[in-house]
mmCIF file of all heavy atoms in Angstrom:
data_model
loop_
_atom_site.group_PDB
_atom_site.id
_atom_site.type_symbol
_atom_site.label_atom_id
_atom_site.label_comp_id
_atom_site.label_asym_id
_atom_site.label_seq_id
_atom_site.Cartn_x
_atom_site.Cartn_y
_atom_site.Cartn_z
ATOM 1 N N GLN D 13 152.069 82.064 127.509
ATOM 2 C CA GLN D 13 151.795 83.136 128.416
ATOM 3 C C GLN D 13 153.110 83.758 128.852
ATOM 4 O O GLN D 13 154.150 83.145 128.799
ATOM 5 C CB GLN D 13 151.006 82.530 129.663
ATOM 6 C CG GLN D 13 149.619 82.000 129.276
ATOM 7 C CD GLN D 13 148.981 81.354 130.478
ATOM 8 O OE1 GLN D 13 149.603 81.064 131.490
ATOM 9 N NE2 GLN D 13 147.653 81.199 130.432
ATOM 10 N N TRP D 14 152.967 84.994 129.341
ATOM 11 C CA TRP D 14 154.147 85.624 129.886
ATOM 12 C C TRP D 14 154.552 84.996 131.159
ATOM 13 O O TRP D 14 153.755 84.596 131.990
ATOM 14 C CB TRP D 14 153.803 87.144 130.187
ATOM 15 C CG TRP D 14 153.669 87.997 128.956
ATOM 16 C CD1 TRP D 14 152.481 88.278 128.246
ATOM 17 C CD2 TRP D 14 154.765 88.631 128.208
ATOM 18 N NE1 TRP D 14 152.802 89.064 127.248
ATOM 19 C CE2 TRP D 14 154.100 89.314 127.192
ATOM 20 C CE3 TRP D 14 156.070 88.712 128.411
ATOM 21 C CZ2 TRP D 14 154.887 90.022 126.242
ATOM 22 C CZ3 TRP D 14 156.883 89.422 127.528
ATOM 23 C CH2 TRP D 14 156.228 90.087 126.444
ATOM 24 N N ARG D 15 155.845 84.898 131.343
ATOM 25 C CA ARG D 15 156.466 84.386 132.551
ATOM 26 C C ARG D 15 157.357 85.423 133.197
ATOM 27 O O ARG D 15 157.938 86.231 132.486
ATOM 28 C CB ARG D 15 157.295 83.060 132.270
ATOM 29 C CG ARG D 15 156.505 81.946 131.868
ATOM 30 C CD ARG D 15 157.324 80.682 131.645
ATOM 31 N NE ARG D 15 158.205 80.800 130.454
ATOM 32 C CZ ARG D 15 159.313 80.027 130.236
ATOM 33 N NH1 ARG D 15 159.583 79.080 131.020
ATOM 34 N NH2 ARG D 15 160.046 80.295 129.135
ATOM 35 N N VAL D 16 157.498 85.432 134.493
ATOM 36 C CA VAL D 16 158.200 86.500 135.239
ATOM 37 C C VAL D 16 159.492 85.889 135.670
ATOM 38 O O VAL D 16 159.558 84.837 136.278
ATOM 39 C CB VAL D 16 157.401 87.020 136.433
ATOM 40 C CG1 VAL D 16 158.200 87.950 137.228
ATOM 41 C CG2 VAL D 16 156.064 87.613 135.908
ATOM 42 N N PHE D 17 160.553 86.539 135.323
ATOM 43 C CA PHE D 17 161.940 86.174 135.820
ATOM 44 C C PHE D 17 162.525 87.366 136.561
ATOM 45 O O PHE D 17 162.681 88.483 136.008
ATOM 46 C CB PHE D 17 162.866 85.748 134.708
ATOM 47 C CG PHE D 17 162.387 84.631 133.914
ATOM 48 C CD1 PHE D 17 161.519 84.745 132.783
ATOM 49 C CD2 PHE D 17 162.798 83.290 134.261
ATOM 50 C CE1 PHE D 17 161.129 83.617 132.128
ATOM 51 C CE2 PHE D 17 162.363 82.206 133.564
ATOM 52 C CZ PHE D 17 161.536 82.379 132.445
ATOM 53 N N GLU D 18 162.814 87.207 137.829
ATOM 54 C CA GLU D 18 163.301 88.320 138.680
ATOM 55 C C GLU D 18 164.781 88.694 138.244
ATOM 56 O O GLU D 18 165.625 87.797 138.035
ATOM 57 C CB GLU D 18 163.353 87.974 140.099
ATOM 58 C CG GLU D 18 161.928 87.808 140.703
ATOM 59 C CD GLU D 18 161.197 89.057 140.724
ATOM 60 O OE1 GLU D 18 161.841 90.176 140.837
ATOM 61 O OE2 GLU D 18 159.984 89.071 140.762
ATOM 62 N N MET D 19 165.028 89.935 138.036
ATOM 63 C CA MET D 19 166.403 90.445 137.701
ATOM 64 C C MET D 19 167.250 90.419 138.959
ATOM 65 O O MET D 19 166.792 90.549 140.095
ATOM 66 C CB MET D 19 166.296 91.844 137.158
ATOM 67 C CG MET D 19 165.585 91.957 135.813
ATOM 68 S SD MET D 19 165.544 93.712 135.227
ATOM 69 C CE MET D 19 167.297 93.990 134.922
ATOM 70 N N ALA D 20 168.617 90.325 138.698
ATOM 71 C CA ALA D 20 169.507 90.396 139.793
ATOM 72 C C ALA D 20 169.461 91.759 140.476
ATOM 73 O O ALA D 20 169.647 91.899 141.664
ATOM 74 C CB ALA D 20 170.886 90.097 139.334
ATOM 75 N N GLU D 21 169.193 92.781 139.701
ATOM 76 C CA GLU D 21 169.063 94.239 140.173
ATOM 77 C C GLU D 21 168.190 94.952 139.226
ATOM 78 O O GLU D 21 168.203 94.608 138.016
ATOM 79 C CB GLU D 21 170.404 94.861 140.328
ATOM 80 C CG GLU D 21 171.178 94.965 139.083
ATOM 81 C CD GLU D 21 172.533 95.699 139.308
ATOM 82 O OE1 GLU D 21 173.066 95.564 140.351
ATOM 83 O OE2 GLU D 21 173.010 96.349 138.301
ATOM 84 N N PRO D 22 167.430 95.942 139.679
ATOM 85 C CA PRO D 22 166.561 96.685 138.755
ATOM 86 C C PRO D 22 167.379 97.586 137.823
ATOM 87 O O PRO D 22 168.502 97.920 138.066
ATOM 88 C CB PRO D 22 165.707 97.514 139.727
ATOM 89 C CG PRO D 22 166.536 97.654 140.914
ATOM 90 C CD PRO D 22 167.327 96.387 141.034
ATOM 91 N N ARG D 23 166.741 97.857 136.722
ATOM 92 C CA ARG D 23 167.417 98.787 135.725
ATOM 93 C C ARG D 23 166.393 99.760 135.147
ATOM 94 O O ARG D 23 165.262 99.374 135.004
ATOM 95 C CB ARG D 23 167.995 97.925 134.519
ATOM 96 C CG ARG D 23 169.148 97.109 134.905
ATOM 97 C CD ARG D 23 170.338 97.859 135.351
ATOM 98 N NE ARG D 23 171.427 97.045 135.721
ATOM 99 C CZ ARG D 23 172.431 96.605 134.908
ATOM 100 N NH1 ARG D 23 172.355 96.983 133.608
ATOM 101 N NH2 ARG D 23 173.373 95.899 135.336
ATOM 102 N N LEU D 24 166.896 100.996 134.923
ATOM 103 C CA LEU D 24 166.185 102.060 134.258
ATOM 104 C C LEU D 24 167.004 102.700 133.275
ATOM 105 O O LEU D 24 168.241 103.026 133.580
ATOM 106 C CB LEU D 24 165.669 103.056 135.292
ATOM 107 C CG LEU D 24 164.869 104.296 134.839
ATOM 108 C CD1 LEU D 24 163.558 103.896 134.255
ATOM 109 C CD2 LEU D 24 164.706 105.270 136.003
ATOM 110 N N GLU D 25 166.565 103.083 132.091
ATOM 111 C CA GLU D 25 167.295 103.696 131.046
ATOM 112 C C GLU D 25 168.566 102.849 130.724
ATOM 113 O O GLU D 25 169.610 103.420 130.546
ATOM 114 C CB GLU D 25 167.674 105.068 131.439
ATOM 115 C CG GLU D 25 166.531 105.984 131.788
ATOM 116 C CD GLU D 25 165.488 106.313 130.578
ATOM 117 O OE1 GLU D 25 165.684 105.689 129.531
ATOM 118 O OE2 GLU D 25 164.628 107.186 130.834
ATOM 119 N N THR D 26 168.410 101.554 130.656
ATOM 120 C CA THR D 26 169.499 100.715 130.360
ATOM 121 C C THR D 26 169.609 100.506 128.895
ATOM 122 O O THR D 26 168.666 100.871 128.102
ATOM 123 C CB THR D 26 169.328 99.309 131.034
ATOM 124 O OG1 THR D 26 170.509 98.522 130.927
ATOM 125 C CG2 THR D 26 168.170 98.550 130.514
ATOM 126 N N ALA D 27 170.685 99.920 128.435
ATOM 127 C CA ALA D 27 170.879 99.570 127.014
ATOM 128 C C ALA D 27 170.543 98.078 126.855
ATOM 129 O O ALA D 27 170.882 97.346 127.715
ATOM 130 C CB ALA D 27 172.284 99.903 126.510
ATOM 131 N N ALA D 28 169.866 97.816 125.734
ATOM 132 C CA ALA D 28 169.571 96.344 125.533
ATOM 133 C C ALA D 28 169.962 95.919 124.119
ATOM 134 O O ALA D 28 169.884 96.680 123.168
ATOM 135 C CB ALA D 28 168.022 96.167 125.686
ATOM 136 N N GLY D 29 170.447 94.720 124.041
ATOM 137 C CA GLY D 29 170.836 94.097 122.780
ATOM 138 C C GLY D 29 170.698 92.628 122.874
ATOM 139 O O GLY D 29 170.269 92.119 123.893
ATOM 140 N N THR D 30 170.999 91.875 121.770
ATOM 141 C CA THR D 30 170.907 90.457 121.789
ATOM 142 C C THR D 30 172.291 89.862 121.418
ATOM 143 O O THR D 30 172.989 90.414 120.563
ATOM 144 C CB THR D 30 169.806 89.971 120.769
ATOM 145 O OG1 THR D 30 170.161 90.385 119.480
ATOM 146 C CG2 THR D 30 168.454 90.414 121.171
ATOM 147 N N LEU D 31 172.585 88.749 122.043
ATOM 148 C CA LEU D 31 173.845 88.062 121.756
ATOM 149 C C LEU D 31 173.480 86.571 121.645
ATOM 150 O O LEU D 31 173.414 85.875 122.721
ATOM 151 C CB LEU D 31 174.878 88.308 122.879
ATOM 152 C CG LEU D 31 176.220 87.716 122.744
ATOM 153 C CD1 LEU D 31 176.925 88.187 121.521
ATOM 154 C CD2 LEU D 31 177.145 87.980 124.014
ATOM 155 N N GLY D 32 173.246 86.077 120.460
ATOM 156 C CA GLY D 32 172.751 84.749 120.375
ATOM 157 C C GLY D 32 171.446 84.596 120.918
ATOM 158 O O GLY D 32 170.479 85.334 120.630
ATOM 159 N N THR D 33 171.239 83.668 121.849
ATOM 160 C CA THR D 33 169.981 83.470 122.507
ATOM 161 C C THR D 33 169.871 84.252 123.809
ATOM 162 O O THR D 33 168.926 84.145 124.558
ATOM 163 C CB THR D 33 169.779 82.016 122.872
ATOM 164 O OG1 THR D 33 170.812 81.541 123.775
ATOM 165 C CG2 THR D 33 169.835 81.158 121.636
ATOM 166 N N ARG D 34 170.882 85.204 124.045
ATOM 167 C CA ARG D 34 170.921 85.915 125.285
ATOM 168 C C ARG D 34 170.557 87.373 125.020
ATOM 169 O O ARG D 34 170.857 87.981 124.039
ATOM 170 C CB ARG D 34 172.250 85.877 125.995
ATOM 171 C CG ARG D 34 172.631 84.476 126.561
ATOM 172 C CD ARG D 34 173.926 84.505 127.174
ATOM 173 N NE ARG D 34 175.029 84.774 126.267
ATOM 174 C CZ ARG D 34 176.322 84.971 126.607
ATOM 175 N NH1 ARG D 34 176.684 85.015 127.851
ATOM 176 N NH2 ARG D 34 177.263 85.077 125.645
ATOM 177 N N LEU D 35 169.758 88.001 125.981
ATOM 178 C CA LEU D 35 169.550 89.416 125.997
ATOM 179 C C LEU D 35 170.727 90.094 126.797
ATOM 180 O O LEU D 35 171.140 89.439 127.783
ATOM 181 C CB LEU D 35 168.270 89.805 126.682
ATOM 182 C CG LEU D 35 166.985 89.172 126.020
ATOM 183 C CD1 LEU D 35 165.754 89.623 126.820
ATOM 184 C CD2 LEU D 35 166.781 89.646 124.554
ATOM 185 N N VAL D 36 171.175 91.202 126.398
ATOM 186 C CA VAL D 36 172.270 91.945 127.050
ATOM 187 C C VAL D 36 171.664 93.240 127.526
ATOM 188 O O VAL D 36 171.141 94.015 126.758
ATOM 189 C CB VAL D 36 173.426 92.145 126.086
ATOM 190 C CG1 VAL D 36 174.557 92.944 126.825
ATOM 191 C CG2 VAL D 36 174.037 90.833 125.680
ATOM 192 N N LEU D 37 171.867 93.508 128.836
ATOM 193 C CA LEU D 37 171.439 94.797 129.450
ATOM 194 C C LEU D 37 172.735 95.461 129.989
ATOM 195 O O LEU D 37 173.339 94.889 130.914
ATOM 196 C CB LEU D 37 170.424 94.530 130.610
ATOM 197 C CG LEU D 37 169.227 93.806 130.214
ATOM 198 C CD1 LEU D 37 168.268 93.645 131.392
ATOM 199 C CD2 LEU D 37 168.455 94.565 129.104
ATOM 200 N N ALA D 38 173.038 96.629 129.508
ATOM 201 C CA ALA D 38 174.208 97.314 129.827
ATOM 202 C C ALA D 38 174.038 98.683 130.513
ATOM 203 O O ALA D 38 173.308 99.542 129.830
ATOM 204 C CB ALA D 38 175.135 97.386 128.616
ATOM 205 N N GLY D 39 174.679 98.856 131.632
ATOM 206 C CA GLY D 39 174.561 100.129 132.210
ATOM 207 C C GLY D 39 173.222 100.486 132.701
ATOM 208 O O GLY D 39 172.286 99.725 132.863
ATOM 209 N N GLY D 40 172.954 101.880 132.858
ATOM 210 C CA GLY D 40 171.687 102.396 133.210
ATOM 211 C C GLY D 40 171.639 102.667 134.798
ATOM 212 O O GLY D 40 172.575 102.403 135.494
ATOM 213 N N PHE D 41 170.494 103.199 135.262
ATOM 214 C CA PHE D 41 170.265 103.418 136.657
ATOM 215 C C PHE D 41 169.918 102.101 137.251
ATOM 216 O O PHE D 41 169.153 101.343 136.723
ATOM 217 C CB PHE D 41 169.134 104.383 136.867
ATOM 218 C CG PHE D 41 169.394 105.817 136.330
ATOM 219 C CD1 PHE D 41 168.625 106.283 135.194
ATOM 220 C CD2 PHE D 41 170.312 106.600 136.844
ATOM 221 C CE1 PHE D 41 168.825 107.542 134.734
ATOM 222 C CE2 PHE D 41 170.639 107.838 136.380
ATOM 223 C CZ PHE D 41 169.782 108.350 135.264
ATOM 224 N N SER D 42 170.514 101.841 138.430
ATOM 225 C CA SER D 42 170.241 100.598 139.109
ATOM 226 C C SER D 42 169.363 100.770 140.361
ATOM 227 O O SER D 42 169.121 99.824 141.142
ATOM 228 C CB SER D 42 171.567 99.970 139.574
ATOM 229 O OG SER D 42 172.275 100.804 140.463
ATOM 230 N N ALA D 43 168.870 101.932 140.589
ATOM 231 C CA ALA D 43 167.871 102.123 141.694
ATOM 232 C C ALA D 43 167.018 103.401 141.329
ATOM 233 O O ALA D 43 167.361 104.183 140.374
ATOM 234 C CB ALA D 43 168.616 102.319 142.975
ATOM 235 N N SER D 44 166.047 103.647 142.157
ATOM 236 C CA SER D 44 165.113 104.724 141.847
ATOM 237 C C SER D 44 165.594 106.128 142.205
ATOM 238 O O SER D 44 166.653 106.241 142.861
ATOM 239 C CB SER D 44 163.803 104.470 142.598
ATOM 240 O OG SER D 44 164.025 104.665 144.052
ATOM 241 N N MET D 45 164.805 107.086 141.855
ATOM 242 C CA MET D 45 165.180 108.521 142.165
ATOM 243 C C MET D 45 165.283 108.620 143.674
ATOM 244 O O MET D 45 166.108 109.377 144.220
ATOM 245 C CB MET D 45 164.110 109.456 141.598
ATOM 246 C CG MET D 45 164.438 110.905 141.889
ATOM 247 S SD MET D 45 163.156 111.973 141.158
ATOM 248 C CE MET D 45 163.257 111.580 139.458
ATOM 249 N N PHE D 46 164.441 107.919 144.483
ATOM 250 C CA PHE D 46 164.397 108.030 145.952
ATOM 251 C C PHE D 46 165.671 107.441 146.586
ATOM 252 O O PHE D 46 165.953 107.713 147.672
ATOM 253 C CB PHE D 46 163.179 107.403 146.514
ATOM 254 C CG PHE D 46 161.916 108.029 145.918
ATOM 255 C CD1 PHE D 46 161.199 107.268 144.940
ATOM 256 C CD2 PHE D 46 161.399 109.257 146.384
ATOM 257 C CE1 PHE D 46 159.933 107.841 144.408
ATOM 258 C CE2 PHE D 46 160.271 109.781 145.852
ATOM 259 C CZ PHE D 46 159.537 109.056 144.911
ATOM 260 N N GLU D 47 166.333 106.608 145.779
ATOM 261 C CA GLU D 47 167.609 106.005 146.226
ATOM 262 C C GLU D 47 168.792 106.614 145.587
ATOM 263 O O GLU D 47 169.924 106.076 145.624
ATOM 264 C CB GLU D 47 167.537 104.489 145.910
ATOM 265 C CG GLU D 47 166.427 103.731 146.577
ATOM 266 C CD GLU D 47 166.254 102.359 146.112
ATOM 267 O OE1 GLU D 47 165.710 102.124 145.039
ATOM 268 O OE2 GLU D 47 166.635 101.485 146.871
ATOM 269 N N GLY D 48 168.572 107.765 145.008
ATOM 270 C CA GLY D 48 169.771 108.556 144.454
ATOM 271 C C GLY D 48 170.109 108.335 142.959
ATOM 272 O O GLY D 48 171.046 108.865 142.468
ATOM 273 N N LEU D 49 169.383 107.509 142.316
ATOM 274 C CA LEU D 49 169.668 107.189 140.855
ATOM 275 C C LEU D 49 171.123 106.839 140.632
ATOM 276 O O LEU D 49 171.783 107.412 139.755
ATOM 277 C CB LEU D 49 169.263 108.371 139.991
ATOM 278 C CG LEU D 49 167.736 108.621 139.694
ATOM 279 C CD1 LEU D 49 167.594 109.845 138.912
ATOM 280 C CD2 LEU D 49 167.159 107.468 139.080
ATOM 281 N N PRO D 50 171.630 105.767 141.318
ATOM 282 C CA PRO D 50 173.015 105.366 141.078
ATOM 283 C C PRO D 50 173.104 104.733 139.642
ATOM 284 O O PRO D 50 172.149 104.084 139.096
ATOM 285 C CB PRO D 50 173.258 104.301 142.080
ATOM 286 C CG PRO D 50 171.927 103.750 142.468
ATOM 287 C CD PRO D 50 170.961 104.930 142.370
ATOM 288 N N ILE D 51 174.192 104.980 138.939
ATOM 289 C CA ILE D 51 174.463 104.459 137.549
ATOM 290 C C ILE D 51 175.407 103.304 137.692
ATOM 291 O O ILE D 51 176.523 103.373 138.316
ATOM 292 C CB ILE D 51 174.985 105.581 136.636
ATOM 293 C CG1 ILE D 51 174.022 106.705 136.525
ATOM 294 C CG2 ILE D 51 175.245 104.930 135.281
ATOM 295 C CD1 ILE D 51 174.554 107.914 135.790
ATOM 296 N N THR D 52 175.025 102.209 137.121
ATOM 297 C CA THR D 52 175.825 100.950 137.189
ATOM 298 C C THR D 52 176.699 100.775 135.911
ATOM 299 O O THR D 52 176.252 101.238 134.827
ATOM 300 C CB THR D 52 174.947 99.727 137.356
ATOM 301 O OG1 THR D 52 175.765 98.567 137.584
ATOM 302 C CG2 THR D 52 173.940 99.521 136.264
ATOM 303 N N THR D 53 177.795 100.062 136.116
ATOM 304 C CA THR D 53 178.605 99.697 134.954
ATOM 305 C C THR D 53 178.344 98.255 134.605
ATOM 306 O O THR D 53 178.954 97.730 133.670
ATOM 307 C CB THR D 53 180.090 99.918 135.188
ATOM 308 O OG1 THR D 53 180.479 99.228 136.346
ATOM 309 C CG2 THR D 53 180.363 101.456 135.389
#
């Protein structure tokens, strides 16, 4: 069954890849449009 793991911060339009057994999420918006759509590094 699917399990839910909370992210440290939300992401939108992020980049995703794999590194061994790890998923990698790079950049993207870290908050919603109502919060100004900040872009994270």
Side-chain angles (χ1 to χ4, degrees):
Q13 298 177 342
W14 287 94
R15 292 181 292 167
V16 177
F17 297 91
E18 293 293 333
M19 296 179 66
E21 60 181 31
R23 290 298 176 90
L24 175 67
E25 306 292 12
T26 189
T30 59
L31 183 62
T33 61
R34 292 181 292 173
L35 301 178
V36 178
L37 303 178
F41 297 113
S42 59
S44 70
M45 182 182 298
F46 302 104
E47 299 169 284
L49 285 177
I51 300 173
T52 182
T53 59

